[in-house]
Amino acid sequence: MTAAQATAPATAQAATRQATPRRTAWGVVRSVLYAVGLPLVLLAAWWVATADSESPFNPPLSEILATFGPTWFSGDSFADTRFVQDVLPSLGRLLVGYAIALVLGIGLGVLIGAVRPLRELAEPVLEFFRAIPPPVMVPVLMLFLGVGTSMRVFVIATGALWPILLNTVEGVRGLDPVLKDTARAFRFGRWGRVRRLMLPGASPQIVTGARQALSIAIILMVISEMFAARDGLGFSVVQFQRSFAVPEMWSGVIMLGLLGVLLSFVFRVATAAVLAWYHGYLRSQRGGA
Amino acid sequence: MSSPMLDVRALNKVYAGRGDPVEAIADLSFQVSDGELVCVVGPSGAGKTTLLRCLAGLLPATSGDVALAGEPVTGPPQGMAVVLQEYGRSLFPWMTVAQNVELPLKEKGVARGERSRLVGEALEAVGLADVGRSYPWQLSGGMQQRVAIARAAAYEPQVLLMDEPFAAVDAQTRFELEDLVRALWKGLGVTVVFVTHDIDEAIYLGERVLVLSARPTVLLEDVRVDLGAERDQLETRGAPEFARLRTHVYELVQQAKLGVRSLADARLTHAG
């Protein structure tokens, strides 16, 4: 191509119109303070409110925290600790179930979102399955899959599937028709359309669905371990409760909360890169040209 | 003359949606030779976009034929690129400017080294060599449309279809972009079909101007534009011939709005 040199007006300065806000050191400190401020206040309130507690079911927070370490991290060797024996298996089942839900949800979602007859066929069924609270399926699935790991993973996967699937369908269906025309006009192949148009175009909705699914997966991880389990975080909490080990029970709840915070942090970091364009895009749309 | 690059015969398009079917294009036949730059004007709602979508293979014709270089168009054909009016929405917002220009080349199977050469040259040609790493939404409207043009140019099409590409940019930017289109057309030797509602733009750009009737569309007149190979925003637009053509096409479009469907029925008060 030897295209003629055409008129080239001012270009560079307009390009930086949407500069991303720069983060100062003070800004980072402030956002950390904001993030931990309220949790600290709540913990302090809990601490004070339960400091003189005589109730066996509501022990002082100091006692709960004191049992936290021994409960989860003591054993003959690290491999014997409850953290390895119970928390890690829970986490493993959660991640496997969640991964299955992601693959199935995004895969089926793209298919259903892209193929209109399929969508019209599938939508009422999807609405029905979505309306069933996933925990209800635990006793049902126990009959089919027994009480082992596969049942628990299956429960997590089927529960977490729906938000991912439905959001992916929405995202693919909502793609701008001008973009679809552009992809068609430039003769994108089928796989090219999926990989270069649908997945990135639907990524904001997919991430939204995946975030909802993560919370659901954590809930189901715990619930699935409350039925006929031999290990796991949910199992531990129930066991502590039945043996009146109340501070230990509370420490399990705290462990669960910490796990949730950690997972949502990992999730945010993992999706930040995927959605970097989207935040800038939204800002520019709101700025209005 | 060799066979035309673009051959449209008895094209008819009826939208059969819910409610009554709407006939957008009644009967259109015209040819565009290899390397020509043809503009299409008509009153608003004249089925201009419908025509362009049929040419691009994005919309199936109800009857009639469209052929590109002798091959019937049944879907988006090889060797054709489009630039749409909605520039902001035709660029992939999750990709940088350079990635947007490169993407169709990837899909086309162009090797990496060749791709980066084509992308570089195309961005250079539209005057955006320094914003390849920006995102489209960081650019002004006129620059976004330049990106869309660069993307089409890098694709090395035989035919470039442009659907009111400058309808949404400001007047000054529009002049620059018009000159850019002329320059690219000459530099690439590409055949261009340029749809617009702007009569001045059509005459300034085109070697020919196809004037369409109102819906259902027929061809009112195929106007030859003898303004020379070199066009200049001041000289060309100030030329007597430009004024004459402008008057003529303007009157035709006014008549088309009133429902006139053939040149013989048109009442032209300013004899050309």
Side-chain angles (χ1 to χ4, degrees):
Chain A
M1 193 184 75
T2 53
Q5 286 296 314
T7 48
T11 49
Q13 74 274 37
T16 52
R17 224 174 44 174
Q18 293 286 338
T20 43
R22 191 173 290 272
R23 286 198 124 188
T24 58
W26 166 236
V28 172
V29 170
R30 210 173 60 164
S31 67
V32 168
L33 286 180
Y34 269 113
V36 300
L38 189 57
L40 285 178
V41 169
L42 290 175
L43 278 176
W46 188 3
W47 185 286
V48 171
T50 60
D52 305 320
S53 172
E54 302 279 316
S55 159
F57 304 131
N58 188 16
L61 178 59
S62 54
E63 197 181 326
I64 295 171
L65 293 181
T67 58
F68 185 85
T71 303
W72 299 103
F73 297 101
S74 70
D76 292 341
S77 64
F78 183 65
D80 279 339
T81 60
R82 272 194 181 272
F83 184 78
V84 174
Q85 293 292 318
D86 289 298
V87 179
L88 289 188
S90 288
L91 207 53
R93 288 189 287 261
L94 171 78
L95 293 181
V96 172
Y98 187 61
I100 292 173
L102 274 179
V103 171
L104 277 183
I106 295 174
L108 289 175
V110 166
L111 197 68
I112 293 171
V115 184
R116 193 172 171 166
L118 198 60
R119 190 167 66 230
E120 283 165 5
L121 204 65
E123 226 146 47
V125 183
L126 294 184
E127 290 300 326
F128 176 78
F129 278 111
R130 185 173 69 154
I132 300 174
V136 160
M137 295 306 290
V138 175
V140 178
L141 289 170
M142 274 168 69
L143 295 179
F144 291 97
L145 296 170
V147 292
T149 298
S150 54
M151 180 276 280
R152 301 183 214 290
V153 169
F154 195 84
V155 167
I156 294 168
T158 48
L161 175 67
W162 306 110
I164 301 173
L165 178 62
L166 294 167
N167 277 287
T168 306
V169 169
E170 268 323 294
V172 171
R173 180 165 59 178
L175 279 175
D176 194 320
V178 178
L179 276 187
K180 286 198 253 185
D181 275 351
T182 304
R184 265 184 77 202
F186 284 115
R187 297 165 59 87
F188 281 30
R190 190 169 303 212
W191 178 232
R193 280 217 293 274
V194 169
R195 194 158 58 108
R196 289 170 175 153
L197 172 66
M198 293 179 192
L199 286 180
S203 61
Q205 284 89 341
I206 294 176
V207 168
T208 303
R211 183 175 295 137
Q212 293 170 8
L214 185 61
S215 324
I216 293 177
I218 294 172
I219 292 169
L220 289 175
M221 170 190 88
V222 175
I223 289 178
S224 75
E225 289 166 357
M226 291 182 165
F227 295 87
R230 284 186 305 272
D231 60 10
L233 197 43
F235 163 77
S236 299
V237 171
V238 171
Q239 202 192 32
F240 288 139
Q241 187 246 358
R242 286 186 184 149
S243 55
F244 297 98
V246 174
E248 286 81 358
M249 179 192 80
W250 279 108
S251 82
V253 174
I254 290 176
M255 174 60 91
L256 201 55
L258 289 176
L259 213 59
V261 170
L262 176 75
L263 285 171
S264 96
F265 176 76
V266 170
F267 184 90
R268 202 178 297 181
V269 170
T271 55
V274 179
L275 290 191
W277 67 270
Y278 185 61
H279 299 307
Y281 176 70
L282 283 185
R283 261 203 309 279
S284 79
Q285 296 295 306
R286 276 192 228 108
Chain B
M1 200 176 78
S2 61
S3 67
M5 176 58 75
L6 200 61
D7 193 358
V8 180
R9 282 180 199 278
L11 181 70
N12 170 268
K13 177 66 193 177
V14 179
Y15 287 107
R18 291 181 188 122
D20 293 332
V22 177
E23 188 175 36
I25 296 177
D27 181 5
L28 266 181
S29 297
F30 64 89
Q31 278 144 22
V32 181
S33 316
D34 189 8
E36 251 189 320
L37 199 172
V38 173
C39 292
V40 178
V41 286
S44 52
K48 298 189 292 284
T49 294
T50 303
L51 169 64
L52 189 119
R53 289 175 64 85
C54 286
L55 296 184
L58 290 171
L59 198 64
T62 305
S63 68
D65 298 299
V66 176
L68 175 82
E71 294 288 321
V73 170
T74 50
Q78 237 166 350
M80 186 179 272
V82 291
V83 175
L84 301 168
Q85 180 184 339
E86 303 93 338
Y87 48 81
R89 292 164 56 200
S90 82
L91 299 171
F92 297 92
W94 50 87
M95 290 183 162
T96 64
V97 165
Q99 286 169 337
N100 261 286
V101 177
E102 187 185 13
L103 186 59
L105 301 176
K106 274 190 185 165
E107 282 290 320
K108 201 181 177 185
V110 178
R112 180 189 294 264
E114 178 74 356
R115 284 206 305 265
S116 67
R117 183 183 69 80
L118 286 168
V119 171
E121 284 180 8
L123 287 176
E124 183 80 41
V126 301
L128 292 181
D130 52 344
V131 298
R133 297 164 77 104
S134 302
Y135 285 91
W137 35 264
Q138 294 175 309
L139 309 180
S140 66
M143 288 166 80
Q144 289 182 27
Q145 194 57 293
R146 280 171 190 270
V147 176
I149 293 170
R151 181 170 63 183
Y155 197 64
E156 298 186 306
Q158 293 170 283
V159 177
L160 176 58
L161 302 178
M162 308 184 87
D163 183 17
E164 305 210 23
F166 310 144
V169 296
D170 64 81
Q172 288 171 19
T173 308
R174 172 183 286 226
F175 290 153
E176 287 165 4
L177 291 174
E178 286 168 2
D179 289 333
L180 172 65
V181 167
R182 287 282 303 185
L184 282 175
W185 168 67
K186 274 195 271 185
L188 300 173
V190 64
T191 309
V192 179
V193 176
F194 190 105
V195 170
T196 177
H197 63 264
D198 183 328
I199 293 163
D200 290 42
E201 182 168 83
I203 296 168
Y204 180 74
L205 284 177
E207 309 290 295
R208 277 160 67 201
V209 175
L210 303 178
V211 185
L212 303 183
S213 74
R215 189 170 267 216
T217 308
V218 295
L219 184 62
L220 271 186
E221 192 185 354
D222 185 342
V223 181
R224 187 149 291 284
V225 179
D226 285 321
L227 288 170
E230 293 300 322
R231 309 272 167 105
D232 179 275
Q233 290 290 354
L234 292 178
E235 299 292 327
T236 308
R237 285 177 192 267
E241 177 65 3
F242 185 90
R244 187 190 70 79
L245 286 166
R246 181 181 188 280
T247 306
H248 181 63
V249 175
Y250 181 83
E251 281 201 302
L252 269 181
V253 171
Q254 291 305 312
Q255 290 286 301
K257 278 185 192 165
L258 297 173
V260 169
R261 306 186 52 76
S262 84
L263 188 57
D265 295 338
R267 292 159 54 85
L268 305 176
T269 52
H270 295 68

PDB file of all heavy atoms in Angstrom, chain A residues 98 102 163-164 167 204-218 264 267-269 271-272 275 279:
ATOM      1  N   TYR A  98     -16.343 -23.996  40.855  1.00  0.00           N
ATOM      2  CA  TYR A  98     -16.443 -22.655  40.268  1.00  0.00           C
ATOM      3  C   TYR A  98     -15.857 -22.646  38.859  1.00  0.00           C
ATOM      4  O   TYR A  98     -16.418 -22.039  37.942  1.00  0.00           O
ATOM      5  CB  TYR A  98     -15.705 -21.671  41.170  1.00  0.00           C
ATOM      6  CG  TYR A  98     -15.853 -20.225  40.774  1.00  0.00           C
ATOM      7  CD1 TYR A  98     -17.099 -19.616  40.755  1.00  0.00           C
ATOM      8  CD2 TYR A  98     -14.732 -19.464  40.429  1.00  0.00           C
ATOM      9  CE1 TYR A  98     -17.232 -18.284  40.400  1.00  0.00           C
ATOM     10  CE2 TYR A  98     -14.864 -18.133  40.083  1.00  0.00           C
ATOM     11  CZ  TYR A  98     -16.109 -17.554  40.074  1.00  0.00           C
ATOM     12  OH  TYR A  98     -16.239 -16.240  39.725  1.00  0.00           O
ATOM     13  N   LEU A 102     -17.714 -21.689  35.438  1.00  0.00           N
ATOM     14  CA  LEU A 102     -17.213 -20.653  34.522  1.00  0.00           C
ATOM     15  C   LEU A 102     -17.163 -21.176  33.091  1.00  0.00           C
ATOM     16  O   LEU A 102     -17.670 -20.527  32.166  1.00  0.00           O
ATOM     17  CB  LEU A 102     -15.804 -20.214  34.938  1.00  0.00           C
ATOM     18  CG  LEU A 102     -15.667 -19.117  35.984  1.00  0.00           C
ATOM     19  CD1 LEU A 102     -14.193 -18.865  36.251  1.00  0.00           C
ATOM     20  CD2 LEU A 102     -16.348 -17.835  35.544  1.00  0.00           C
ATOM     21  N   PRO A 163     -25.887 -17.489  37.348  1.00  0.00           N
ATOM     22  CA  PRO A 163     -25.553 -16.071  37.114  1.00  0.00           C
ATOM     23  C   PRO A 163     -24.548 -15.886  35.985  1.00  0.00           C
ATOM     24  O   PRO A 163     -24.666 -14.932  35.207  1.00  0.00           O
ATOM     25  CB  PRO A 163     -24.978 -15.599  38.458  1.00  0.00           C
ATOM     26  CG  PRO A 163     -24.810 -16.804  39.297  1.00  0.00           C
ATOM     27  CD  PRO A 163     -25.647 -17.886  38.749  1.00  0.00           C
ATOM     28  N   ILE A 164     -23.591 -16.805  35.864  1.00  0.00           N
ATOM     29  CA  ILE A 164     -22.602 -16.672  34.791  1.00  0.00           C
ATOM     30  C   ILE A 164     -23.287 -16.869  33.445  1.00  0.00           C
ATOM     31  O   ILE A 164     -23.135 -16.064  32.514  1.00  0.00           O
ATOM     32  CB  ILE A 164     -21.465 -17.702  34.958  1.00  0.00           C
ATOM     33  CG1 ILE A 164     -20.771 -17.520  36.306  1.00  0.00           C
ATOM     34  CG2 ILE A 164     -20.456 -17.578  33.832  1.00  0.00           C
ATOM     35  CD1 ILE A 164     -19.760 -18.601  36.613  1.00  0.00           C
ATOM     36  N   ASN A 167     -25.852 -13.956  32.603  1.00  0.00           N
ATOM     37  CA  ASN A 167     -25.171 -12.696  32.290  1.00  0.00           C
ATOM     38  C   ASN A 167     -24.425 -12.778  30.976  1.00  0.00           C
ATOM     39  O   ASN A 167     -24.359 -11.803  30.226  1.00  0.00           O
ATOM     40  CB  ASN A 167     -24.220 -12.297  33.421  1.00  0.00           C
ATOM     41  CG  ASN A 167     -24.937 -11.588  34.549  1.00  0.00           C
ATOM     42  OD1 ASN A 167     -25.329 -10.440  34.419  1.00  0.00           O
ATOM     43  ND2 ASN A 167     -25.148 -12.280  35.642  1.00  0.00           N
ATOM     44  N   PRO A 204     -17.790  -7.356  30.366  1.00  0.00           N
ATOM     45  CA  PRO A 204     -18.293  -6.678  31.570  1.00  0.00           C
ATOM     46  C   PRO A 204     -19.426  -7.453  32.244  1.00  0.00           C
ATOM     47  O   PRO A 204     -19.439  -7.614  33.463  1.00  0.00           O
ATOM     48  CB  PRO A 204     -18.791  -5.335  31.034  1.00  0.00           C
ATOM     49  CG  PRO A 204     -18.029  -5.111  29.778  1.00  0.00           C
ATOM     50  CD  PRO A 204     -17.841  -6.471  29.185  1.00  0.00           C
ATOM     51  N   GLN A 205     -20.345  -7.973  31.433  1.00  0.00           N
ATOM     52  CA  GLN A 205     -21.450  -8.749  32.012  1.00  0.00           C
ATOM     53  C   GLN A 205     -20.960 -10.096  32.548  1.00  0.00           C
ATOM     54  O   GLN A 205     -21.443 -10.566  33.579  1.00  0.00           O
ATOM     55  CB  GLN A 205     -22.534  -9.004  30.963  1.00  0.00           C
ATOM     56  CG  GLN A 205     -23.404  -7.803  30.667  1.00  0.00           C
ATOM     57  CD  GLN A 205     -22.825  -6.958  29.552  1.00  0.00           C
ATOM     58  OE1 GLN A 205     -21.643  -7.055  29.240  1.00  0.00           O
ATOM     59  NE2 GLN A 205     -23.646  -6.125  28.960  1.00  0.00           N
ATOM     60  N   ILE A 206     -20.023 -10.703  31.841  1.00  0.00           N
ATOM     61  CA  ILE A 206     -19.502 -11.990  32.303  1.00  0.00           C
ATOM     62  C   ILE A 206     -18.856 -11.825  33.678  1.00  0.00           C
ATOM     63  O   ILE A 206     -19.055 -12.639  34.579  1.00  0.00           O
ATOM     64  CB  ILE A 206     -18.490 -12.568  31.292  1.00  0.00           C
ATOM     65  CG1 ILE A 206     -19.207 -12.918  29.981  1.00  0.00           C
ATOM     66  CG2 ILE A 206     -17.814 -13.814  31.854  1.00  0.00           C
ATOM     67  CD1 ILE A 206     -18.284 -13.399  28.870  1.00  0.00           C
ATOM     68  N   VAL A 207     -18.100 -10.744  33.845  1.00  0.00           N
ATOM     69  CA  VAL A 207     -17.447 -10.508  35.134  1.00  0.00           C
ATOM     70  C   VAL A 207     -18.490 -10.271  36.221  1.00  0.00           C
ATOM     71  O   VAL A 207     -18.360 -10.776  37.346  1.00  0.00           O
ATOM     72  CB  VAL A 207     -16.466  -9.322  35.024  1.00  0.00           C
ATOM     73  CG1 VAL A 207     -16.019  -8.877  36.402  1.00  0.00           C
ATOM     74  CG2 VAL A 207     -15.264  -9.731  34.188  1.00  0.00           C
ATOM     75  N   THR A 208     -19.535  -9.521  35.899  1.00  0.00           N
ATOM     76  CA  THR A 208     -20.614  -9.310  36.870  1.00  0.00           C
ATOM     77  C   THR A 208     -21.209 -10.638  37.306  1.00  0.00           C
ATOM     78  O   THR A 208     -21.402 -10.890  38.504  1.00  0.00           O
ATOM     79  CB  THR A 208     -21.726  -8.437  36.249  1.00  0.00           C
ATOM     80  OG1 THR A 208     -21.145  -7.215  35.808  1.00  0.00           O
ATOM     81  CG2 THR A 208     -22.814  -8.156  37.246  1.00  0.00           C
ATOM     82  N   GLY A 209     -21.496 -11.490  36.326  1.00  0.00           N
ATOM     83  CA  GLY A 209     -22.064 -12.796  36.644  1.00  0.00           C
ATOM     84  C   GLY A 209     -21.107 -13.638  37.453  1.00  0.00           C
ATOM     85  O   GLY A 209     -21.511 -14.310  38.412  1.00  0.00           O
ATOM     86  N   ALA A 210     -19.835 -13.583  37.100  1.00  0.00           N
ATOM     87  CA  ALA A 210     -18.841 -14.392  37.797  1.00  0.00           C
ATOM     88  C   ALA A 210     -18.693 -13.942  39.251  1.00  0.00           C
ATOM     89  O   ALA A 210     -18.436 -14.760  40.140  1.00  0.00           O
ATOM     90  CB  ALA A 210     -17.503 -14.310  37.075  1.00  0.00           C
ATOM     91  N   ARG A 211     -18.888 -12.634  39.470  1.00  0.00           N
ATOM     92  CA  ARG A 211     -18.760 -12.135  40.847  1.00  0.00           C
ATOM     93  C   ARG A 211     -19.919 -12.644  41.704  1.00  0.00           C
ATOM     94  O   ARG A 211     -19.725 -13.125  42.818  1.00  0.00           O
ATOM     95  CB  ARG A 211     -18.719 -10.604  40.845  1.00  0.00           C
ATOM     96  CG  ARG A 211     -18.506 -10.026  42.224  1.00  0.00           C
ATOM     97  CD  ARG A 211     -18.342  -8.528  42.185  1.00  0.00           C
ATOM     98  NE  ARG A 211     -17.145  -8.142  41.467  1.00  0.00           N
ATOM     99  CZ  ARG A 211     -17.084  -7.146  40.593  1.00  0.00           C
ATOM    100  NH1 ARG A 211     -18.166  -6.437  40.342  1.00  0.00           N
ATOM    101  NH2 ARG A 211     -15.972  -6.852  39.974  1.00  0.00           N
ATOM    102  N   GLN A 212     -21.136 -12.554  41.145  1.00  0.00           N
ATOM    103  CA  GLN A 212     -22.293 -13.104  41.869  1.00  0.00           C
ATOM    104  C   GLN A 212     -22.090 -14.593  42.109  1.00  0.00           C
ATOM    105  O   GLN A 212     -22.377 -15.101  43.199  1.00  0.00           O
ATOM    106  CB  GLN A 212     -23.575 -12.925  41.052  1.00  0.00           C
ATOM    107  CG  GLN A 212     -23.996 -11.489  40.877  1.00  0.00           C
ATOM    108  CD  GLN A 212     -25.128 -11.360  39.846  1.00  0.00           C
ATOM    109  OE1 GLN A 212     -25.679 -12.365  39.391  1.00  0.00           O
ATOM    110  NE2 GLN A 212     -25.463 -10.137  39.488  1.00  0.00           N
ATOM    111  N   ALA A 213     -21.581 -15.276  41.107  1.00  0.00           N
ATOM    112  CA  ALA A 213     -21.425 -16.719  41.198  1.00  0.00           C
ATOM    113  C   ALA A 213     -20.430 -17.097  42.284  1.00  0.00           C
ATOM    114  O   ALA A 213     -20.583 -18.129  42.945  1.00  0.00           O
ATOM    115  CB  ALA A 213     -20.973 -17.282  39.849  1.00  0.00           C
ATOM    116  N   LEU A 214     -19.431 -16.252  42.488  1.00  0.00           N
ATOM    117  CA  LEU A 214     -18.424 -16.565  43.508  1.00  0.00           C
ATOM    118  C   LEU A 214     -19.063 -16.585  44.900  1.00  0.00           C
ATOM    119  O   LEU A 214     -18.804 -17.494  45.691  1.00  0.00           O
ATOM    120  CB  LEU A 214     -17.281 -15.546  43.441  1.00  0.00           C
ATOM    121  CG  LEU A 214     -16.099 -15.818  44.364  1.00  0.00           C
ATOM    122  CD1 LEU A 214     -15.462 -17.158  44.031  1.00  0.00           C
ATOM    123  CD2 LEU A 214     -15.060 -14.710  44.269  1.00  0.00           C
ATOM    124  N   SER A 215     -19.905 -15.594  45.183  1.00  0.00           N
ATOM    125  CA  SER A 215     -20.578 -15.588  46.490  1.00  0.00           C
ATOM    126  C   SER A 215     -21.448 -16.819  46.647  1.00  0.00           C
ATOM    127  O   SER A 215     -21.471 -17.449  47.701  1.00  0.00           O
ATOM    128  CB  SER A 215     -21.460 -14.349  46.647  1.00  0.00           C
ATOM    129  OG  SER A 215     -20.876 -13.252  46.041  1.00  0.00           O
ATOM    130  N   ILE A 216     -22.193 -17.145  45.601  1.00  0.00           N
ATOM    131  CA  ILE A 216     -23.074 -18.319  45.650  1.00  0.00           C
ATOM    132  C   ILE A 216     -22.246 -19.579  45.857  1.00  0.00           C
ATOM    133  O   ILE A 216     -22.608 -20.462  46.650  1.00  0.00           O
ATOM    134  CB  ILE A 216     -23.907 -18.415  44.358  1.00  0.00           C
ATOM    135  CG1 ILE A 216     -24.882 -17.242  44.307  1.00  0.00           C
ATOM    136  CG2 ILE A 216     -24.646 -19.747  44.287  1.00  0.00           C
ATOM    137  CD1 ILE A 216     -25.704 -17.196  43.049  1.00  0.00           C
ATOM    138  N   ALA A 217     -21.102 -19.648  45.184  1.00  0.00           N
ATOM    139  CA  ALA A 217     -20.255 -20.836  45.300  1.00  0.00           C
ATOM    140  C   ALA A 217     -19.750 -21.004  46.733  1.00  0.00           C
ATOM    141  O   ALA A 217     -19.691 -22.128  47.248  1.00  0.00           O
ATOM    142  CB  ALA A 217     -19.087 -20.744  44.329  1.00  0.00           C
ATOM    143  N   ILE A 218     -19.408 -19.909  47.390  1.00  0.00           N
ATOM    144  CA  ILE A 218     -18.929 -20.003  48.775  1.00  0.00           C
ATOM    145  C   ILE A 218     -20.050 -20.507  49.687  1.00  0.00           C
ATOM    146  O   ILE A 218     -19.844 -21.384  50.534  1.00  0.00           O
ATOM    147  CB  ILE A 218     -18.395 -18.638  49.257  1.00  0.00           C
ATOM    148  CG1 ILE A 218     -17.151 -18.259  48.455  1.00  0.00           C
ATOM    149  CG2 ILE A 218     -18.072 -18.680  50.744  1.00  0.00           C
ATOM    150  CD1 ILE A 218     -16.652 -16.859  48.719  1.00  0.00           C
ATOM    151  N   SER A 264     -12.527 -12.598  47.106  1.00  0.00           N
ATOM    152  CA  SER A 264     -13.051 -11.467  46.346  1.00  0.00           C
ATOM    153  C   SER A 264     -11.922 -10.512  45.969  1.00  0.00           C
ATOM    154  O   SER A 264     -11.964  -9.884  44.902  1.00  0.00           O
ATOM    155  CB  SER A 264     -14.162 -10.758  47.123  1.00  0.00           C
ATOM    156  OG  SER A 264     -13.666  -9.656  47.815  1.00  0.00           O
ATOM    157  N   PHE A 267     -10.291 -12.123  43.037  1.00  0.00           N
ATOM    158  CA  PHE A 267     -11.194 -11.937  41.902  1.00  0.00           C
ATOM    159  C   PHE A 267     -11.031 -10.538  41.310  1.00  0.00           C
ATOM    160  O   PHE A 267     -10.949 -10.354  40.105  1.00  0.00           O
ATOM    161  CB  PHE A 267     -12.644 -12.141  42.357  1.00  0.00           C
ATOM    162  CG  PHE A 267     -13.637 -12.054  41.242  1.00  0.00           C
ATOM    163  CD1 PHE A 267     -14.000 -13.186  40.541  1.00  0.00           C
ATOM    164  CD2 PHE A 267     -14.214 -10.839  40.890  1.00  0.00           C
ATOM    165  CE1 PHE A 267     -14.917 -13.115  39.506  1.00  0.00           C
ATOM    166  CE2 PHE A 267     -15.123 -10.758  39.857  1.00  0.00           C
ATOM    167  CZ  PHE A 267     -15.476 -11.899  39.161  1.00  0.00           C
ATOM    168  N   ARG A 268     -10.978  -9.553  42.197  1.00  0.00           N
ATOM    169  CA  ARG A 268     -10.882  -8.177  41.703  1.00  0.00           C
ATOM    170  C   ARG A 268      -9.571  -7.945  40.947  1.00  0.00           C
ATOM    171  O   ARG A 268      -9.556  -7.333  39.894  1.00  0.00           O
ATOM    172  CB  ARG A 268     -11.001  -7.198  42.869  1.00  0.00           C
ATOM    173  CG  ARG A 268     -11.440  -5.834  42.394  1.00  0.00           C
ATOM    174  CD  ARG A 268     -11.616  -4.869  43.538  1.00  0.00           C
ATOM    175  NE  ARG A 268     -12.653  -5.279  44.462  1.00  0.00           N
ATOM    176  CZ  ARG A 268     -12.980  -4.566  45.533  1.00  0.00           C
ATOM    177  NH1 ARG A 268     -12.344  -3.446  45.802  1.00  0.00           N
ATOM    178  NH2 ARG A 268     -13.934  -4.976  46.329  1.00  0.00           N
ATOM    179  N   VAL A 269      -8.489  -8.488  41.513  1.00  0.00           N
ATOM    180  CA  VAL A 269      -7.201  -8.323  40.844  1.00  0.00           C
ATOM    181  C   VAL A 269      -7.209  -9.029  39.486  1.00  0.00           C
ATOM    182  O   VAL A 269      -6.737  -8.517  38.480  1.00  0.00           O
ATOM    183  CB  VAL A 269      -6.064  -8.886  41.739  1.00  0.00           C
ATOM    184  CG1 VAL A 269      -4.753  -8.942  40.965  1.00  0.00           C
ATOM    185  CG2 VAL A 269      -5.904  -8.024  42.986  1.00  0.00           C
ATOM    186  N   THR A 271      -9.681  -9.679  37.523  1.00  0.00           N
ATOM    187  CA  THR A 271     -10.557  -9.110  36.491  1.00  0.00           C
ATOM    188  C   THR A 271     -10.207  -7.664  36.153  1.00  0.00           C
ATOM    189  O   THR A 271     -10.731  -7.127  35.181  1.00  0.00           O
ATOM    190  CB  THR A 271     -12.031  -9.162  36.932  1.00  0.00           C
ATOM    191  OG1 THR A 271     -12.150  -8.515  38.193  1.00  0.00           O
ATOM    192  CG2 THR A 271     -12.520 -10.590  37.007  1.00  0.00           C
ATOM    193  N   ALA A 272      -9.343  -7.052  36.946  1.00  0.00           N
ATOM    194  CA  ALA A 272      -9.030  -5.633  36.701  1.00  0.00           C
ATOM    195  C   ALA A 272      -8.458  -5.437  35.300  1.00  0.00           C
ATOM    196  O   ALA A 272      -8.844  -4.509  34.581  1.00  0.00           O
ATOM    197  CB  ALA A 272      -8.052  -5.125  37.758  1.00  0.00           C
ATOM    198  N   LEU A 275     -11.064  -5.716  32.498  1.00  0.00           N
ATOM    199  CA  LEU A 275     -12.041  -4.632  32.376  1.00  0.00           C
ATOM    200  C   LEU A 275     -11.411  -3.244  32.351  1.00  0.00           C
ATOM    201  O   LEU A 275     -12.129  -2.245  32.417  1.00  0.00           O
ATOM    202  CB  LEU A 275     -13.043  -4.710  33.531  1.00  0.00           C
ATOM    203  CG  LEU A 275     -13.995  -5.894  33.463  1.00  0.00           C
ATOM    204  CD1 LEU A 275     -15.096  -5.744  34.486  1.00  0.00           C
ATOM    205  CD2 LEU A 275     -14.609  -6.027  32.075  1.00  0.00           C
ATOM    206  N   HIS A 279     -13.718   0.559  32.023  1.00  0.00           N
ATOM    207  CA  HIS A 279     -13.870   1.707  32.913  1.00  0.00           C
ATOM    208  C   HIS A 279     -13.541   3.003  32.183  1.00  0.00           C
ATOM    209  O   HIS A 279     -14.243   3.999  32.328  1.00  0.00           O
ATOM    210  CB  HIS A 279     -13.007   1.513  34.156  1.00  0.00           C
ATOM    211  CG  HIS A 279     -13.395   0.298  34.946  1.00  0.00           C
ATOM    212  ND1 HIS A 279     -14.681   0.078  35.367  1.00  0.00           N
ATOM    213  CD2 HIS A 279     -12.684  -0.781  35.343  1.00  0.00           C
ATOM    214  CE1 HIS A 279     -14.740  -1.082  36.015  1.00  0.00           C
ATOM    215  NE2 HIS A 279     -13.540  -1.625  36.013  1.00  0.00           N
TER     216      HIS A 279
END
